[in-house]
Amino acid sequence: MRHIEILAFEDAQLLDVTGPLQVFTSANEEAFAAGQPRPYNAIAVAMNGQTGTTSGLTLATALLPQDDEPIDTLMVAGGVGVNKACEETALVNWIRRRSASARRIASVCSGAFLLAEAGLLDGRRAVTHWNRCREFSKRFPNVRLEPDPIFIQDGNIWTSAGVTAGIDLALALVEADLGRKLALAVARELVVFLKRPGGQAQFSTMLSLQESGDRFDRLHGWIIDNLRADLSLPALAEQANMSARSFSRHYRQATGRTPARAVEDIRVEAVRRLLEQGLSVRQARIRCGFGSEETMRRSFLRAFGTTPQAFRDHFG
Protein backbone atom coordinates (compact mmCIF):
# COMPACT_ATOMS: atom_id res chain seq x y z
CA MET A 1 0.00 0.00 0.00
CA ARG A 2 1.34 3.40 -1.02
CA HIS A 3 1.35 5.91 1.84
CA ILE A 4 0.50 9.45 0.67
CA GLU A 5 0.67 12.57 2.81
CA ILE A 6 -1.04 15.77 1.68
CA LEU A 7 0.33 18.74 3.56
CA ALA A 8 -2.12 21.44 4.63
CA PHE A 9 -1.52 24.71 6.50
CA GLU A 10 -3.60 27.55 7.87
CA ASP A 11 -5.69 29.17 5.10
CA ALA A 12 -4.95 26.41 2.60
CA GLN A 13 -7.31 25.93 -0.37
CA LEU A 14 -9.75 23.21 0.68
CA LEU A 15 -10.02 21.60 -2.77
CA ASP A 16 -6.23 21.36 -3.03
CA VAL A 17 -6.42 18.87 -0.16
CA THR A 18 -9.77 17.16 -0.67
CA GLY A 19 -9.60 16.88 -4.47
CA PRO A 20 -6.53 14.60 -4.55
CA LEU A 21 -7.75 12.79 -1.42
CA GLN A 22 -10.97 11.88 -3.22
CA VAL A 23 -9.09 10.66 -6.28
CA PHE A 24 -6.99 8.27 -4.18
CA THR A 25 -10.07 7.17 -2.21
CA SER A 26 -11.95 6.47 -5.43
CA ALA A 27 -8.95 4.51 -6.72
CA ASN A 28 -9.18 2.36 -3.59
CA GLU A 29 -12.90 1.81 -4.20
CA GLU A 30 -12.39 0.86 -7.86
CA ALA A 31 -9.57 -1.52 -6.99
CA PHE A 32 -11.62 -3.16 -4.21
CA ALA A 33 -14.61 -3.57 -6.55
CA ALA A 34 -12.29 -5.36 -9.00
CA GLY A 35 -11.13 -7.76 -6.28
CA GLN A 36 -7.74 -6.10 -5.89
CA PRO A 37 -6.04 -4.80 -2.72
CA ARG A 38 -6.61 -1.14 -1.90
CA PRO A 39 -3.51 0.62 -3.30
CA TYR A 40 -3.44 3.84 -1.24
CA ASN A 41 -3.37 5.10 2.30
CA ALA A 42 -3.80 8.86 1.84
CA ILE A 43 -4.01 11.29 4.77
CA ALA A 44 -3.90 15.03 5.35
CA VAL A 45 -1.11 16.24 7.62
CA ALA A 46 -0.30 19.60 9.20
CA MET A 47 1.67 21.16 12.02
CA ASN A 48 -1.50 21.20 14.15
CA GLY A 49 -4.31 18.70 14.63
CA GLN A 50 -6.82 21.16 13.20
CA THR A 51 -6.19 23.37 10.19
CA GLY A 52 -8.43 26.16 8.92
CA THR A 53 -9.06 26.58 5.20
CA THR A 54 -10.15 29.56 3.13
CA SER A 55 -13.59 28.00 2.63
CA GLY A 56 -14.32 28.35 6.35
CA LEU A 57 -14.16 24.60 6.98
CA THR A 58 -11.62 23.26 9.45
CA LEU A 59 -9.75 20.08 8.59
CA ALA A 60 -8.90 17.44 11.18
CA THR A 61 -5.33 16.59 10.20
CA ALA A 62 -2.68 14.19 11.41
CA LEU A 63 0.42 15.77 12.94
CA LEU A 64 3.55 15.95 10.80
CA PRO A 65 5.12 12.46 10.77
CA GLN A 66 8.71 11.79 11.75
CA ASP A 67 11.23 12.04 8.94
CA ASP A 68 12.03 8.32 8.89
CA GLU A 69 8.44 7.02 8.79
CA PRO A 70 7.65 5.18 5.51
CA ILE A 71 6.17 7.36 2.76
CA ASP A 72 5.53 6.97 -0.95
CA THR A 73 4.27 10.41 -2.05
CA LEU A 74 4.38 13.84 -0.43
CA MET A 75 1.86 16.36 -1.81
CA VAL A 76 1.77 20.02 -0.80
CA ALA A 77 -1.45 22.01 -1.06
CA GLY A 78 -1.68 25.68 -2.00
CA GLY A 79 -3.88 28.57 -0.95
CA VAL A 80 -3.75 32.18 0.21
CA GLY A 81 -1.89 31.13 3.35
CA VAL A 82 1.08 29.79 1.41
CA ASN A 83 3.20 32.95 1.79
CA LYS A 84 2.88 32.82 5.56
CA ALA A 85 3.59 29.08 5.47
CA CYS A 86 6.80 29.81 3.55
CA GLU A 87 7.95 31.92 6.51
CA GLU A 88 7.55 29.02 8.94
CA THR A 89 11.10 27.69 9.06
CA ALA A 90 10.14 24.49 10.88
CA LEU A 91 7.57 23.63 8.21
CA VAL A 92 9.91 24.34 5.29
CA ASN A 93 12.66 22.29 6.92
CA TRP A 94 10.19 19.41 7.45
CA ILE A 95 9.25 19.49 3.75
CA ARG A 96 12.94 19.37 2.82
CA ARG A 97 13.65 16.42 5.11
CA ARG A 98 10.45 14.53 4.40
CA SER A 99 10.94 14.80 0.64
CA ALA A 100 14.22 12.94 1.00
CA SER A 101 12.27 9.90 2.20
CA ALA A 102 9.56 10.10 -0.48
CA ARG A 103 9.55 8.29 -3.80
CA ARG A 104 7.96 11.35 -5.38
CA ILE A 105 6.94 14.86 -4.40
CA ALA A 106 4.05 16.93 -5.76
CA SER A 107 2.40 20.30 -5.31
CA VAL A 108 -1.07 21.60 -6.06
CA CYS A 109 -1.58 25.18 -7.23
CA SER A 110 0.52 27.65 -5.19
CA GLY A 111 1.91 24.78 -3.14
CA ALA A 112 4.81 25.10 -5.59
CA PHE A 113 5.90 28.12 -3.52
CA LEU A 114 6.60 25.83 -0.56
CA LEU A 115 8.52 23.33 -2.69
CA ALA A 116 10.55 26.18 -4.17
CA GLU A 117 11.15 27.70 -0.71
CA ALA A 118 12.55 24.33 0.37
CA GLY A 119 14.91 24.40 -2.64
CA LEU A 120 13.33 21.38 -4.29
CA LEU A 121 12.52 23.08 -7.60
CA ASP A 122 15.85 24.76 -8.39
CA GLY A 123 16.78 24.03 -12.00
CA ARG A 124 13.54 22.14 -12.59
CA ARG A 125 10.49 22.78 -14.76
CA ALA A 126 7.43 23.69 -12.73
CA VAL A 127 3.98 25.25 -12.92
CA THR A 128 1.73 27.07 -10.47
CA HIS A 129 -1.56 28.99 -10.58
CA TRP A 130 -1.61 31.29 -13.62
CA ASN A 131 -2.43 34.32 -11.47
CA ARG A 132 0.74 33.91 -9.40
CA CYS A 133 3.26 33.14 -12.11
CA ARG A 134 4.79 36.63 -12.18
CA GLU A 135 5.21 36.65 -8.40
CA PHE A 136 6.69 33.16 -8.46
CA SER A 137 9.21 33.98 -11.21
CA LYS A 138 10.47 37.05 -9.38
CA ARG A 139 10.79 35.18 -6.10
CA PHE A 140 12.33 31.97 -7.46
CA PRO A 141 14.38 32.84 -10.56
CA ASN A 142 16.22 29.50 -10.50
CA VAL A 143 13.01 27.59 -11.24
CA ARG A 144 12.10 27.04 -14.92
CA LEU A 145 8.48 28.13 -14.56
CA GLU A 146 6.03 27.33 -17.37
CA PRO A 147 2.75 29.23 -17.00
CA ASP A 148 0.31 27.15 -19.07
CA PRO A 149 0.48 23.36 -18.43
CA ILE A 150 -2.12 21.69 -16.21
CA PHE A 151 0.71 19.76 -14.57
CA ILE A 152 4.39 19.06 -15.14
CA GLN A 153 6.59 16.12 -14.17
CA ASP A 154 10.32 16.75 -13.84
CA GLY A 155 12.04 13.68 -12.48
CA ASN A 156 10.29 12.60 -9.28
CA ILE A 157 8.70 16.02 -8.72
CA TRP A 158 5.26 16.91 -10.06
CA THR A 159 3.70 20.38 -9.93
CA SER A 160 0.22 21.42 -11.02
CA ALA A 161 -1.72 24.55 -11.95
CA GLY A 162 -4.64 26.16 -10.14
CA VAL A 163 -7.01 24.42 -7.71
CA THR A 164 -8.89 21.77 -9.73
CA ALA A 165 -5.62 20.86 -11.46
CA GLY A 166 -4.83 18.93 -8.29
CA ILE A 167 -7.44 16.41 -9.43
CA ASP A 168 -5.77 16.17 -12.85
CA LEU A 169 -2.43 15.62 -11.14
CA ALA A 170 -3.75 12.97 -8.78
CA LEU A 171 -5.34 11.11 -11.71
CA ALA A 172 -1.98 11.19 -13.50
CA LEU A 173 -0.31 9.71 -10.41
CA VAL A 174 -2.94 6.95 -10.28
CA GLU A 175 -2.39 6.22 -13.97
CA ALA A 176 1.39 6.05 -13.43
CA ASP A 177 0.90 3.66 -10.49
CA LEU A 178 -1.99 1.48 -11.58
CA GLY A 179 -2.49 1.94 -15.31
CA ARG A 180 -4.85 3.80 -17.59
CA LYS A 181 -7.83 1.48 -17.14
CA LEU A 182 -8.20 2.07 -13.41
CA ALA A 183 -7.41 5.80 -13.70
CA LEU A 184 -10.09 6.13 -16.37
CA ALA A 185 -12.58 4.35 -14.12
CA VAL A 186 -11.82 6.87 -11.37
CA ALA A 187 -12.22 9.79 -13.79
CA ARG A 188 -15.59 8.44 -14.92
CA GLU A 189 -16.75 7.98 -11.34
CA LEU A 190 -15.79 11.58 -10.54
CA VAL A 191 -17.22 12.84 -13.87
CA VAL A 192 -14.01 14.57 -14.93
CA PHE A 193 -11.59 14.26 -17.84
CA LEU A 194 -8.76 11.79 -17.38
CA LYS A 195 -6.66 14.23 -19.39
CA ARG A 196 -8.30 17.53 -20.28
CA PRO A 197 -7.09 19.39 -23.37
CA GLY A 198 -5.01 22.54 -23.49
CA GLY A 199 -3.63 24.44 -20.53
CA GLN A 200 -4.84 26.63 -17.72
CA ALA A 201 -4.89 29.67 -20.03
CA GLN A 202 -8.14 28.41 -21.50
CA PHE A 203 -10.42 30.18 -19.01
CA SER A 204 -13.56 31.62 -20.58
CA THR A 205 -13.10 34.32 -23.20
CA MET A 206 -16.32 36.05 -22.23
CA LEU A 207 -15.41 36.07 -18.55
CA SER A 208 -12.05 37.61 -19.32
CA LEU A 209 -13.69 40.24 -21.53
CA GLN A 210 -16.11 41.07 -18.73
CA GLU A 211 -13.19 42.00 -16.50
CA SER A 212 -12.94 45.20 -18.53
CA GLY A 213 -16.35 46.41 -17.34
CA ASP A 214 -19.67 46.59 -19.15
CA ARG A 215 -18.89 49.19 -21.81
CA PHE A 216 -18.83 46.66 -24.66
CA ASP A 217 -21.14 43.99 -23.20
CA ARG A 218 -23.90 44.70 -25.72
CA LEU A 219 -21.40 44.46 -28.56
CA HIS A 220 -20.06 41.14 -27.28
CA GLY A 221 -23.61 39.79 -27.10
CA TRP A 222 -24.19 40.88 -30.69
CA ILE A 223 -20.95 39.18 -31.82
CA ILE A 224 -22.03 35.89 -30.22
CA ASP A 225 -25.38 36.07 -31.99
CA ASN A 226 -23.80 36.91 -35.35
CA LEU A 227 -20.66 34.79 -35.65
CA ARG A 228 -21.27 34.21 -39.37
CA ALA A 229 -21.72 37.93 -40.10
CA ASP A 230 -19.15 40.50 -41.19
CA LEU A 231 -17.16 41.08 -37.99
CA SER A 232 -14.53 43.35 -39.51
CA LEU A 233 -13.34 46.46 -37.70
CA PRO A 234 -15.69 48.81 -39.63
CA ALA A 235 -18.68 46.55 -38.95
CA LEU A 236 -17.92 46.37 -35.22
CA ALA A 237 -17.35 50.11 -35.02
CA GLU A 238 -20.72 50.69 -36.64
CA GLN A 239 -22.39 48.47 -34.06
CA ALA A 240 -20.66 50.44 -31.30
CA ASN A 241 -21.70 53.76 -32.89
CA MET A 242 -18.08 54.90 -33.08
CA SER A 243 -15.58 55.67 -35.80
CA ALA A 244 -13.29 52.76 -36.66
CA ARG A 245 -10.22 54.55 -35.34
CA SER A 246 -11.87 55.62 -32.07
CA PHE A 247 -13.46 52.21 -31.55
CA SER A 248 -10.18 50.37 -32.09
CA ARG A 249 -8.37 52.57 -29.57
CA HIS A 250 -11.06 52.51 -26.88
CA TYR A 251 -11.69 48.77 -27.26
CA ARG A 252 -8.06 47.90 -26.79
CA GLN A 253 -7.80 50.17 -23.77
CA ALA A 254 -10.85 48.52 -22.21
CA THR A 255 -10.14 44.86 -22.97
CA GLY A 256 -6.39 44.62 -23.51
CA ARG A 257 -6.81 43.03 -26.92
CA THR A 258 -7.60 44.15 -30.45
CA PRO A 259 -11.13 43.78 -31.83
CA ALA A 260 -9.87 41.19 -34.33
CA ARG A 261 -8.28 39.09 -31.58
CA ALA A 262 -11.44 39.28 -29.46
CA VAL A 263 -13.56 38.07 -32.40
CA GLU A 264 -11.15 35.19 -32.99
CA ASP A 265 -11.22 34.21 -29.30
CA ILE A 266 -15.02 34.31 -29.16
CA ARG A 267 -15.30 32.23 -32.33
CA VAL A 268 -12.78 29.66 -31.07
CA GLU A 269 -14.64 29.26 -27.79
CA ALA A 270 -17.90 28.80 -29.72
CA VAL A 271 -16.22 26.12 -31.86
CA ARG A 272 -15.11 24.30 -28.72
CA ARG A 273 -18.66 24.23 -27.34
CA LEU A 274 -20.08 22.92 -30.64
CA LEU A 275 -17.44 20.19 -30.88
CA GLU A 276 -18.29 19.10 -27.33
CA GLN A 277 -21.90 18.81 -28.46
CA GLY A 278 -20.87 16.41 -31.25
CA LEU A 279 -20.91 18.65 -34.32
CA SER A 280 -18.35 17.92 -37.02
CA VAL A 281 -15.35 20.20 -37.51
CA ARG A 282 -16.86 21.46 -40.76
CA GLN A 283 -20.23 22.20 -39.16
CA ALA A 284 -18.57 24.08 -36.30
CA ARG A 285 -16.42 26.09 -38.73
CA ILE A 286 -19.41 27.21 -40.77
CA ARG A 287 -21.55 28.09 -37.75
CA CYS A 288 -18.78 30.13 -36.18
CA GLY A 289 -17.80 32.07 -39.29
CA PHE A 290 -14.28 30.83 -39.94
CA GLY A 291 -13.38 31.25 -43.59
CA SER A 292 -11.31 28.06 -43.84
CA GLU A 293 -10.54 25.00 -41.77
CA GLU A 294 -6.84 25.89 -41.74
CA THR A 295 -7.55 29.31 -40.22
CA MET A 296 -9.76 27.70 -37.59
CA ARG A 297 -7.18 24.98 -36.91
CA ARG A 298 -4.42 27.51 -36.24
CA SER A 299 -6.63 29.61 -33.97
CA PHE A 300 -7.89 26.55 -32.06
CA LEU A 301 -4.38 25.17 -31.64
CA ARG A 302 -3.15 28.49 -30.28
CA ALA A 303 -6.01 28.69 -27.77
CA PHE A 304 -6.27 25.10 -26.56
CA GLY A 305 -3.03 23.37 -27.48
CA THR A 306 -4.75 20.80 -29.68
CA THR A 307 -6.48 20.66 -33.07
CA PRO A 308 -10.27 20.82 -33.50
CA GLN A 309 -10.38 17.25 -34.85
CA ALA A 310 -8.30 15.86 -32.00
CA PHE A 311 -10.47 17.72 -29.50
CA ARG A 312 -13.65 16.34 -31.04
CA ASP A 313 -12.24 12.79 -31.15
CA HIS A 314 -11.54 12.89 -27.42
CA PHE A 315 -14.33 15.03 -26.02
CA GLY A 316 -17.12 15.23 -28.59
Side-chain angles (χ1 to χ4, degrees):
M1 181 174 286
R2 299 166 175 84
H3 179 65
I4 298 176
E5 295 168 3
I6 303 179
L7 175 66
F9 47 81
E10 198 66 26
D11 286 331
Q13 164 64 245
L14 178 65
L15 195 57
D16 286 5
V17 180
T18 58
L21 272 175
Q22 185 58 57
V23 170
F24 297 125
T25 299
S26 295
N28 282 343
E29 294 169 350
E30 293 293 335
F32 181 76
Q36 303 168 4
R38 291 182 172 89
Y40 295 114
N41 173 39
I43 62 171
V45 302
M47 294 190 71
N48 302 307
Q50 289 190 331
T51 305
T53 65
T54 52
S55 69
L57 291 177
T58 298
L59 293 174
T61 52
L63 295 177
L64 298 182
Q66 296 297 314
D67 301 343
D68 57 354
E69 291 185 24
I71 181 176
D72 179 84
T73 303
L74 172 64
M75 297 188 73
V76 179
V80 298
V82 73
N83 286 353
K84 185 175 181 181
C86 285
E87 297 173 0
E88 298 182 17
T89 303
L91 180 62
V92 174
N93 287 339
W94 179 86
I95 293 172
R96 188 180 296 116
R97 295 192 306 269
R98 193 65 173 140
S99 65
S101 302
R103 177 174 67 94
R104 64 187 172 197
I105 306 99
S107 66
V108 181
C109 193
S110 56
F113 280 73
L114 275 166
L115 294 188
E117 188 68 30
L120 301 177
L121 298 181
D122 286 351
R124 293 181 182 269
R125 298 168 58 236
V127 66
T128 189
H129 191 288
W130 65 268
N131 200 32
R132 303 198 67 176
C133 284
R134 183 176 301 178
E135 175 190 358
F136 187 97
S137 293
K138 290 179 64 176
R139 186 167 174 177
F140 305 109
N142 293 329
V143 180
R144 295 158 52 195
L145 188 70
E146 298 182 17
D148 191 48
I150 298 296
F151 61 83
I152 287 177
Q153 178 189 7
D154 190 327
N156 71 329
I157 297 184
W158 303 60
T159 54
S160 62
V163 194
T164 57
I167 295 174
D168 297 83
L169 172 60
L171 284 168
L173 298 181
V174 170
E175 183 176 10
D177 292 340
L178 307 172
R180 179 179 176 83
K181 183 178 180 180
L182 193 139
L184 184 58
V186 173
R188 286 172 173 163
E189 176 65 25
L190 299 180
V191 197
V192 296
F193 292 133
L194 177 57
K195 294 181 180 178
R196 56 173 145 162
Q200 63 173 332
Q202 59 180 302
F203 54 87
S204 170
T205 296
M206 291 309 300
L207 287 177
S208 64
L209 287 172
Q210 287 172 11
E211 292 176 359
S212 62
D214 59 3
R215 181 174 186 183
F216 294 107
D217 279 357
R218 190 181 68 83
L219 175 64
H220 293 148
W222 180 83
I223 292 173
I224 291 173
D225 291 337
N226 295 274
L227 291 176
R228 298 177 65 178
D230 174 14
L231 299 181
S232 64
L233 177 60
L236 296 177
E238 182 179 352
Q239 284 294 322
N241 294 316
M242 302 172 69
S243 69
R245 182 176 181 181
S246 179
F247 168 71
S248 181
R249 176 167 56 86
H250 286 289
Y251 189 88
R252 187 159 192 168
Q253 288 175 348
T255 67
R257 68 187 83 184
T258 65
R261 183 57 186 269
V263 168
E264 177 184 319
D265 292 344
I266 292 171
R267 278 176 164 154
V268 164
E269 188 166 282
V271 167
R272 177 181 61 81
R273 290 196 300 269
L274 293 177
L275 295 177
E276 288 174 341
Q277 294 168 18
L279 270 70
S280 69
V281 171
R282 181 177 182 276
Q283 289 171 324
R285 177 185 67 79
I286 293 172
R287 286 201 187 187
C288 296
F290 278 101
S292 69
E293 287 197 13
E294 178 58 24
T295 300
M296 184 178 74
R297 191 191 70 82
R298 290 198 302 266
S299 298
F300 200 93
L301 186 61
R302 179 166 54 246
F304 300 116
T306 187
T307 65
Q309 187 61 57
F311 183 91
R312 184 184 184 281
D313 290 344
H314 284 89
F315 305 106

